[in-house]
Amino acid sequence: MALRAVHVLNVPSLHQVTENAALALHSSRLAQGVKDEGEETKCGYEWPKFMVVGHRGSGMNMLQSYDTRLKCIKENSILSFNSAAKFPIDFVEFDVQVTKDDYPVIFHDNFIGAEDKGVFKEQRVTDITLLEFLSYGPQKEAGKVERPMLRKIKDGRIFEWKVEKDDSLCTLQEVFEKVEHSKGFNIELKFDDQIVYKEEKLEHVLRVILQVVNKFAKDRPILFSSFQPDAAVLMRKLQSTYPVYFLTNGGSEIYADVRRNSTEEAIKVCLRGGLQGIVSEVKAIFRNPGAVTRIKEAKLGIITYGQLNNVAEAVYMQILMGVEGVIVDLVPEITEAVFV
């Protein structure tokens, strides 16, 4: 892999990348062999020297953005995953939740919304059945009437979920069956930050997800990750086939659970729970570059996410810092810029 020279001054400051910024700008080998000390080689994979991961497939949808690239393909859809798979990425990342009737589905937000008699109404994804969930958005079967989706963003604004290339909602099983098999899956185990989960509930949800993974994954590379520290640790206890990474924003938001509030706490979670690595918000790494060294000294992997990963120069800097992979929205631009 050849890298073009990058001057440090070309990397934007952390405050220069905004939601609506016009972001500037050979598939790596996967070898078997993830294992714990003293264990036999598992059916996992060693990461390539540097990975590019498609965020929610071909990138998240930012409906409030003026950047049309962030409203091109419906996020977390079969179409989005297979569109990303046409580029030299190693994995696609997506969010998994479990419906009321125990079906793992692919969806990022905790709530799914639509208009009902002129009023915006939303339902918690985990409180509805699979059929109710699939009734939103484009329908697979001819004659079925869709419920046009609306999305409520963090600041309370509500947008029609309009993208250039729409697609139906999907289940975890469908993703395994219909997405290009050569691409790995970074499965984010999605839980609501505002809910305190009992271990019994977490275990039930994780076992439902694992049942589908174990049945359909075959030899596809899998990486689990979660912002919920108890879920991440429990997933590691429930299986040792696939690596589990702890997601952290490195302190850019503060939570009641101190384990979520810094990279140092994330390292402790991994070491105590036997996790294999950390997925960090990229700004946390740039604000504290020494964190990469400490993570690697702890023999943990390090991948990053965040909007700065859509800037080629920021990705180059991370390669030089020793980061092992980036989760990106602008898949065509970043793969073209980084890999030669």
Side-chain angles (χ1 to χ4, degrees):
M1 177 177 67
L3 296 179
R4 114 187 142 194
V6 177
H7 195 282
V8 174
L9 293 178
N10 290 333
V11 179
S13 88
L14 301 183
H15 304 293
Q16 287 179 318
V17 178
T18 61
E19 281 189 353
N20 295 321
L23 300 175
L25 282 188
H26 309 310
S27 188
S28 302
R29 301 175 303 280
L30 290 173
Q32 290 189 349
V34 168
K35 59 183 178 180
D36 294 329
E37 187 175 350
E39 289 185 348
E40 293 182 0
T41 301
K42 301 298 181 183
C43 231
Y45 290 79
E46 286 183 353
W47 309 135
K49 289 185 178 179
F50 190 78
M51 291 194 301
V52 175
V53 180
H55 186 211
R56 304 181 202 173
S58 296
M60 66 176 174
N61 295 152
M62 293 184 66
L63 304 176
Q64 71 275 28
S65 175
Y66 294 111
D67 192 334
T68 57
R69 294 172 297 179
L70 299 176
K71 295 181 284 188
C72 182
I73 304 174
K74 183 70 160 286
E75 70 176 35
N76 275 336
S77 67
I78 303 293
L79 177 61
S80 185
F81 301 141
N82 280 327
S83 296
K86 295 176 182 177
F87 296 91
I89 62 171
D90 300 291
F91 281 68
V92 290
E93 181 269 354
F94 53 80
D95 311 274
V96 174
Q97 304 184 58
V98 173
T99 61
K100 181 180 178 180
D101 50 348
D102 285 347
Y103 285 91
V105 295
I106 313 303
F107 199 72
H108 173 269
D109 301 359
N110 296 318
F111 292 87
I112 188 167
E115 186 178 297
D116 183 12
K117 298 179 182 178
V119 178
F120 171 71
K121 290 189 176 180
E122 56 184 357
Q123 297 176 287
R124 185 179 291 278
V125 172
T126 55
D127 286 345
I128 61 177
T129 65
L130 176 63
L131 288 179
E132 289 174 306
F133 174 76
L134 295 177
S135 70
Y136 288 89
Q139 298 297 292
K140 299 181 181 74
E141 297 179 28
K144 277 197 172 183
V145 179
E146 70 173 89
R147 299 178 67 184
M149 292 173 60
L150 301 176
R151 186 177 215 175
K152 186 176 183 179
I153 63 174
K154 284 185 176 182
D155 64 11
R157 287 182 292 165
I158 298 169
F159 293 86
E160 292 184 65
W161 205 319
K162 284 188 175 180
V163 292
E164 182 181 334
K165 299 175 183 177
D166 211 343
D167 197 17
S168 305
L169 299 178
C170 59
T171 66
L172 180 59
Q173 178 177 333
E174 288 180 292
V175 172
F176 274 112
E177 293 174 335
K178 298 178 181 180
V179 173
E180 166 60 44
H181 186 75
S182 65
K183 303 304 178 183
F185 287 169
N186 173 191
I187 300 176
E188 181 182 337
L189 308 167
K190 190 77 176 179
F191 294 93
D192 191 330
D193 293 337
Q194 307 306 316
I195 295 177
V196 177
Y197 294 91
K198 293 183 178 179
E199 183 172 342
E200 295 79 8
K201 176 63 175 178
L202 291 176
E203 181 170 349
H204 175 77
V205 169
L206 297 181
R207 286 192 182 278
V208 169
I209 294 170
L210 272 175
Q211 187 174 17
V212 175
V213 172
N214 290 336
K215 184 174 182 180
F216 295 99
K218 299 179 182 177
D219 61 347
R220 188 190 295 269
I222 302 291
L223 165 65
F224 290 115
S225 61
S226 185
F227 283 104
Q228 220 292 349
D230 294 324
V233 171
L234 185 54
M235 178 56 90
R236 177 66 175 129
K237 290 179 180 177
L238 292 176
Q239 60 82 46
S240 58
T241 301
Y242 306 110
V244 182
Y245 277 37
F246 181 45
L247 271 156
T248 179
N249 61 29
S252 57
E253 294 182 51
I254 301 301
Y255 299 88
D257 189 337
V258 297
R259 296 174 296 177
R260 300 189 58 184
N261 290 340
S262 70
T263 305
E264 297 303 323
E265 288 295 329
I267 293 173
K268 292 177 185 177
V269 169
C270 291
L271 295 179
R272 291 168 182 166
L275 308 185
Q276 287 93 343
I278 291 171
V279 184
S280 173
E281 216 291 343
V282 59
K283 289 182 182 180
I285 296 300
F286 281 140
R287 287 191 178 110
N288 182 14
V292 176
T293 301
R294 291 192 293 277
I295 290 168
K296 297 176 87 66
E297 286 176 347
K299 301 189 185 305
L300 299 171
I302 173 64
I303 299 171
T304 67
Y305 74 93
Q307 290 184 55
L308 271 175
N309 282 349
N310 295 319
V311 179
E313 287 79 7
V315 174
Y316 287 133
M317 287 299 296
Q318 292 178 75
I319 296 172
L320 297 175
M321 293 167 67
V323 172
E324 294 163 346
V326 290
I327 300 173
V328 307
D329 296 301
L330 305 184
V331 172
E333 290 85 346
I334 296 302
T335 53
E336 180 180 1
V338 173
F339 296 112
V340 178

